[in-house]
Amino acid sequence: MATYILLLEFLALACSVALASDHSPLQDFCVAEPNSPVLVNGLVCKDPKLVQADDFFFSGLHLPGNTSNPVGSKVTPFNVAQIPGLNTLGVSMARVDYAPWGVNPPHYHPRASQMLTVLEGTLEVGFVTSNPENRLITKVLQKGDVFVYPVNLIHFERNVGYGNAVAIAALSSQNPGAITITNAVFGPKPDISSDILVKAFQLDKKEINFIQSQF
């Protein structure tokens, strides 16, 4: 019996150690030091004694983005690259501007979920569920409305009004990343073989070559 009790105590101790984790940061902040030669999964911390207010500051959210491009939208990010103080905090933002009938093309964020808040205009938004269902979930948003995109799901926005539209995106990563589907499929360097894309999209090679030439 004593041996049995001792074994249970050992297992309980082992489990408590294995399940231990940090539930809060180990220091007040970890301001990114982008020039450090050390490579880590993230960014090295600057010496806290050298941290200044500007490490937590960025101005420009009020400035409209240039939407004079083929898709008619412009994303202005505010992540750890612009605000070093975001390092390890797991949040970032972006301003998205849309020309009339402009589109933020189908894309996804490999490291973040997203909340989109409409500041001006009317947006059609949506995301697609994963295989095999591939169900489109979509809604038209007005000023003041909020919509959520789950992490890793393809999503998009379209300005369905006749004036400009503006939205703010809040993301659950300091560096959420963005993979635009058309750019990734038709514009990588080197190109994906057109033979692969012909089968994938059920188009002929001339059509595939033309689409690739646009990227």
Side-chain angles (χ1 to χ4, degrees), residues 47-95:
D47 183 341
K49 295 183 178 62
L50 303 178
V51 168
Q52 304 293 326
D54 282 348
D55 291 319
F56 302 91
F57 171 80
F58 186 84
S59 180
L61 198 63
H62 62 295
L63 299 174
N66 183 0
T67 59
S68 59
N69 54 63
V71 297
S73 70
K74 172 63 176 177
V75 178
T76 305
F78 300 88
N79 56 41
V80 71
Q82 289 78 35
I83 308 174
L86 285 177
N87 193 35
T88 75
L89 298 186
V91 293
S92 60
M93 295 179 66
R95 171 180 171 136

Side-chain angles (χ1 to χ4, degrees), residues 19-120:
L19 296 175
S21 62
D22 294 323
H23 296 290
S24 60
L26 300 179
Q27 57 196 55
D28 289 343
F29 46 74
C30 176
V31 172
E33 178 51 84
N35 298 321
S36 172
V38 178
L39 299 178
V40 296
N41 185 23
L43 293 167
V44 173
C45 301
K46 179 189 289 189
D47 183 341
K49 295 183 178 62
L50 303 178
V51 168
Q52 304 293 326
D54 282 348
D55 291 319
F56 302 91
F57 171 80
F58 186 84
S59 180
L61 198 63
H62 62 295
L63 299 174
N66 183 0
T67 59
S68 59
N69 54 63
V71 297
S73 70
K74 172 63 176 177
V75 178
T76 305
F78 300 88
N79 56 41
V80 71
Q82 289 78 35
I83 308 174
L86 285 177
N87 193 35
T88 75
L89 298 186
V91 293
S92 60
M93 295 179 66
R95 171 180 171 136
V96 191
D97 289 271
Y98 313 82
W101 302 99
V103 170
N104 189 9
H107 64 282
Y108 69 94
H109 304 289
R111 295 179 290 275
S113 52
Q114 176 182 330
M115 295 180 65
L116 187 81
T117 303
V118 180
L119 299 185
E120 295 291 342

Side-chain angles (χ1 to χ4, degrees), residues 7 19 21 27 38 57 60 77 115 137 157 175 194 198 213:
L7 178 61
L19 296 175
S21 62
Q27 57 196 55
V38 178
F57 171 80
M115 295 180 65
I137 296 175
E157 301 98 47
N175 183 26
S194 58
V198 164
S213 72

Side-chain angles (χ1 to χ4, degrees), residues 170-191:
L171 301 114
S172 62
S173 171
Q174 69 182 43
N175 183 26
I179 298 176
T180 304
I181 306 306
T182 49
N183 296 60
V185 173
F186 295 106
K189 303 300 179 189
D191 289 340

Side-chain angles (χ1 to χ4, degrees), residues 159-178:
N159 181 1
V160 293
Y162 292 94
N164 294 332
V166 182
I168 294 294
L171 301 114
S172 62
S173 171
Q174 69 182 43
N175 183 26

